[in-house]
């Protein structure tokens, strides 16, 4: 019999797909980390929420619901949800001692205007969103390669 010394079997990560290799030390996975943002919804008529999912290569997607105090606009919800998703990815990269500059991230969002604002094609529509935009731009600057794609959801 063999025992795993000092390891809780519940914490063992799922095996990667056979064609995927584990990343080199200090590096993010070679295939893209995928973030999918879902738009704002209202719960119980008063509590607003949005959702994002993160799919790490070789693992199932994990969905996270983000609740908001008050009544944010759909744009505020998208900015805040993307910031939370990016911080979660960067935190996991840090936990894995992987340099974010080696990461490839695909971000699916439900709004062309949101994409245009983030890539600088159009100015931020609401000046109150500029601080959120700047925080997200700073997070994206730390990532080696990222793409914004339209998800088809509204």
């Amino acid at each position: 019999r063999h025992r795993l010394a000092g390891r809780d079997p519940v914490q063992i990560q799922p095996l990667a797909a056979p064609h995927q290799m584990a990343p080199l030390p200090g590096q993010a996975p070679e295939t893209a980390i995928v973030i999918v943002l879902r738009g704002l919804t209202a719960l119980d008529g008063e509590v607003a929420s949005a959702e994002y999912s993160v799919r790490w290569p070789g693992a199932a997607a994990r969905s996270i619901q983000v609740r908001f105090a008050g009544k944010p606009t759909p744009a505020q919800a998208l900015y805040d949800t993307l910031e939370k998703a990016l911080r979660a990815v960067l935190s996991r990269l840090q936990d894995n001692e992987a340099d974010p500059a080696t990461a490839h991230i695909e971000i699916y969002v439900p709004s062309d205007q949101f994409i245009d604002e983030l890539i600088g094609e159009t100015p931020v529509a609401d000046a109150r969103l500029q601080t959120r935009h700047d925080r997200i731009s700073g997070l994206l600057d730390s990532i080696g390669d990222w793409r914004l794609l339209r998800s088809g959801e509204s």
Side-chain angles (χ1 to χ4, degrees):
R1 278 192 254 185
H2 298 286
R3 291 182 56 138
L4 295 174
R7 290 197 178 218
D8 178 358
V10 174
Q11 296 176 349
I12 295 174
Q13 296 293 322
L15 296 174
H19 62 279
Q20 291 180 336
M21 294 178 53
L24 296 172
Q27 295 202 358
E30 286 185 13
T31 55
I33 299 161
V34 177
I35 296 171
V36 178
L37 299 182
R38 292 187 180 81
L40 184 66
T41 59
L43 299 175
D44 302 327
E46 295 196 19
V47 178
S49 71
E51 183 179 281
Y52 69 88
S53 65
V54 175
R55 189 177 74 235
W56 212 261
R62 182 170 175 234
S63 293
I64 306 294
Q65 187 177 51
V66 180
R67 291 179 184 239
F68 301 98
K71 296 188 179 196
T73 66
Q76 288 170 327
L78 278 176
Y79 274 103
D80 290 351
T81 304
L82 178 55
E83 182 177 356
K84 288 183 187 314
L86 288 171
R87 289 189 186 283
V89 167
L90 290 168
S91 176
R92 181 161 176 187
L93 289 169
Q94 182 180 10
D95 290 348
N96 292 340
E97 298 179 4
D99 181 359
T102 66
H104 308 284
I105 299 179
E106 290 182 356
I107 304 164
Y108 291 85
V109 299
S111 165
D112 289 329
Q113 180 177 338
F114 187 67
I115 291 172
D116 290 344
E117 288 177 6
L118 284 174
I119 63 174
E121 289 288 318
T122 61
V124 177
D126 182 344
R128 297 172 294 176
L129 298 175
Q130 189 64 50
T131 301
R132 289 172 168 95
H133 175 276
D134 294 346
R135 283 195 309 258
I136 289 171
S137 293
L139 294 170
L140 290 171
D141 285 346
S142 69
I143 296 166
D145 178 44
W146 53 269
R147 294 188 321 162
L148 291 165
L149 303 156
R150 180 76 156 84
S151 66
E153 295 181 17
S154 52

